[in-house]
Amino acid sequence: MSTVGDAARVAAVHSYQLLDAPRPVVLDELTRLASSVFETPMSTVTLVAGDRQWFAGSTGMPGSGGPLSSSFCGHVVDSRMPLVVRDALTHPVYSAWANVVGAPHIRYYAGVPLIDEDGHVLGTMCVLDDRPRETGDKQVDLLRTMAGQAAGHLSAIRNRLLLAEIGDELSRAISREEDFVATVSHELRTPVTTIQGYLELLVDNEELEPYRKMIEPIQRNGERLVRMVDHLLAGTRPPGTPLPLLRAQTDLVTVAGAAIAACRSQAAQREVTLLLEGPAEPVGVPGDFTRLSQAAEHLVRNAVLFSPAGSVVRIRIDETGLDVVDEGAGIPADELPHVVERFYRGRFAREQAVPGVGLGLSIAQRIMKAHDGTLTVLSDGSGMGTTARLSVVC
């Protein structure tokens, strides 16, 4: 089977996107160096496709390529071995070629395989002359060295192309994410918030007292939906977007109290007790009260969702942070490094259909990073409970 027509090799050649493209300056410079070192008027870095050759770098060679029917380089690729032709006019095959009997009147050719990092023979590094020449082993070795340099340049060119494609895809992904956030905000949050407003009016209407039992669950689920949408909006904010903070002296006891108040109804429904443990006096730390309360709420809510009925979730406070300790499902060792990743949901959450979209810990971590603090999640394993800690830099 011909190496030249090998599908994997041809695909590798096309992956560099140099066929029919402007020649890279660095490859032209390499051929100029080769011509100077070998004292030949012509030199090329030649890529060999399935049906033609293309000069990706060239000095002194007319045109940009040609058919394989009169290609010395095609023979090199096919054999994967160096080829040295002292005088093409005396060769039984090459002497009839158009580029030998006519311009550019090739007499001498020395070429070595151009092999990329994946082992594909892309083409050759070669020098040519219009008069016969002799070539020694040291010169062939030098040509191999230059072929290695050409392969390195080609690899760098392809890597830049890949990076550009990744950058374009990343830009498109960010654009899609921003569109998603805008759509969720406009199409879902706005009408749900409006519905909530009307429900509040209905709850305050004494004439509708007989229907209160029907209205309250609707209102409660509406609040849950608004929280989930806010959760999504906060969690899908592009990572580089600064998180606005109102920096002031904030009391961690009050932060914990706000988080407990936000989760009290859910804890009661799941028969989980919330217990605040810490000093009676305020514990002041620098930070944004609203953001820190939001981070603490995510930890408490997670603890409640993963705790069995009848258990206790403890919120402990010290001078530098806040711990949320539960007696619940715990986290397997292989999942622990991933729990703060966006949209990550462990096996227990999936199997037990625990409510949520996997953004709470990611949001909490982002809030803590904005405060130059840390979020730490510890667990001894499945069924062993979890401790999540917010540490604030004082």
Side-chain angles (χ1 to χ4, degrees):
M1 179 180 175
S2 171
T3 301
V4 170
D6 179 68
R9 190 200 70 79
V10 173
V13 172
H14 283 281
S15 73
Y16 291 86
Q17 299 182 30
L18 289 176
L19 300 181
D20 300 311
R23 296 198 306 266
V25 173
V26 67
L27 294 182
D28 275 351
E29 290 176 347
L30 184 61
T31 60
R32 281 199 292 273
L33 176 63
S35 284
S36 175
V37 170
F38 285 87
E39 298 181 342
T40 62
M42 296 170 281
S43 175
T44 67
V45 173
T46 304
L47 299 179
V48 177
D51 57 353
R52 61 175 172 140
Q53 64 180 8
W54 178 264
F55 303 145
S58 177
T59 292
M61 196 71 174
S64 56
L68 291 182
S69 58
S70 58
S71 169
F72 295 94
C73 297
H75 285 225
V76 175
V77 171
D78 211 18
S79 67
R80 298 179 66 98
M81 297 291 292
L83 173 66
V84 176
V85 179
R86 178 185 173 277
D87 186 355
L89 273 181
T90 64
H91 194 278
V93 175
Y94 308 141
S95 60
W97 283 5
N99 54 2
V100 174
V101 298
H105 302 286
I106 298 172
R107 298 289 183 271
Y108 167 79
Y109 173 91
V112 297
L114 177 60
I115 303 173
D116 73 1
E117 56 191 356
D118 299 317
H120 296 296
V121 182
L122 304 176
T124 69
M125 177 79 207
C126 64
V127 289
L128 309 95
D129 204 337
D130 55 7
R131 60 186 178 86
R133 297 177 63 98
E134 298 291 343
T135 301
D137 292 341
K138 288 185 178 180
Q139 289 174 302
V140 173
D141 288 340
L142 179 57
L143 203 54
R144 283 197 182 98
T145 299
M146 291 186 172
Q149 292 176 341
H153 290 313
L154 287 169
S155 177
I157 290 168
R158 186 169 64 173
N159 287 339
R160 285 197 296 270
L161 289 171
L162 292 173
L163 285 173
E165 290 176 5
I166 291 171
D168 290 343
E169 180 57 35
L170 181 60
S171 296
R172 288 192 291 270
I174 291 173
S175 178
R176 288 195 297 268
E177 189 172 88
E178 290 173 347
D179 289 344
F180 165 75
V181 171
T183 300
V184 168
S185 180
H186 182 266
E187 300 295 338
L188 190 55
R189 194 187 191 286
T190 300
V192 170
T193 304
T194 302
I195 292 170
Q196 285 296 99
Y198 282 115
L199 284 171
E200 289 177 7
L201 293 176
L202 294 177
V203 169
D204 293 337
N205 192 329
E206 295 181 0
E207 295 179 4
L208 297 177
E209 182 64 32
Y211 304 99
R212 185 68 54 82
K213 289 184 179 180
M214 289 186 289
I215 294 173
E216 287 181 347
I218 298 173
Q219 186 182 33
R220 188 166 55 249
N221 282 291
E223 290 172 352
R224 180 170 171 267
L225 185 56
V226 169
R227 280 200 307 271
M228 182 171 288
V229 172
D230 287 340
H231 207 171
L232 280 169
L233 294 176
T236 53
R237 185 190 298 266
T241 306
L243 194 64
L245 297 177
L246 178 62
R247 294 191 178 274
Q249 196 70 3
T250 299
D251 176 22
L252 280 182
V253 176
T254 307
V255 166
I260 290 171
C263 300
R264 184 171 288 118
S265 175
Q266 187 176 50
Q269 291 173 16
R270 301 180 69 89
E271 299 179 20
V272 173
T273 301
L274 300 178
L275 185 60
L276 178 60
E277 299 178 350
E281 65 277 3
V283 176
V285 296
D288 185 313
F289 171 77
T290 301
R291 296 294 187 184
L292 290 175
S293 299
Q294 184 185 13
E297 179 184 341
H298 284 306
L299 301 193
V300 175
R301 197 174 298 281
N302 261 15
V304 170
L305 289 173
F306 286 88
S307 292
S311 64
V312 177
V313 171
R314 292 177 168 80
I315 298 89
R316 297 171 177 165
I317 299 168
D318 58 35
E319 290 79 6
T320 60
L322 178 152
D323 292 312
V324 177
V325 184
D326 67 59
E327 305 165 356
I331 305 170
D334 62 320
E335 294 184 3
L336 200 55
H338 306 289
V339 293
V340 296
E341 295 174 5
R342 293 197 308 170
F343 299 109
Y344 182 81
R345 284 169 60 80
R347 288 188 295 273
F348 183 88
R350 298 193 304 271
E351 292 169 359
Q352 301 299 318
V354 177
V357 293
L359 283 170
L361 292 179
S362 173
I363 295 170
Q365 183 187 53
R366 185 171 186 180
I367 291 171
M368 297 315 297
K369 282 185 176 180
H371 283 83
D372 298 322
T374 57
L375 165 64
T376 308
V377 182
L378 303 172
S379 177
D380 290 331
S382 297
M384 303 297 289
T386 300
T387 297
R389 175 172 179 80
L390 303 179
S391 296
V392 182
V393 177
C394 295

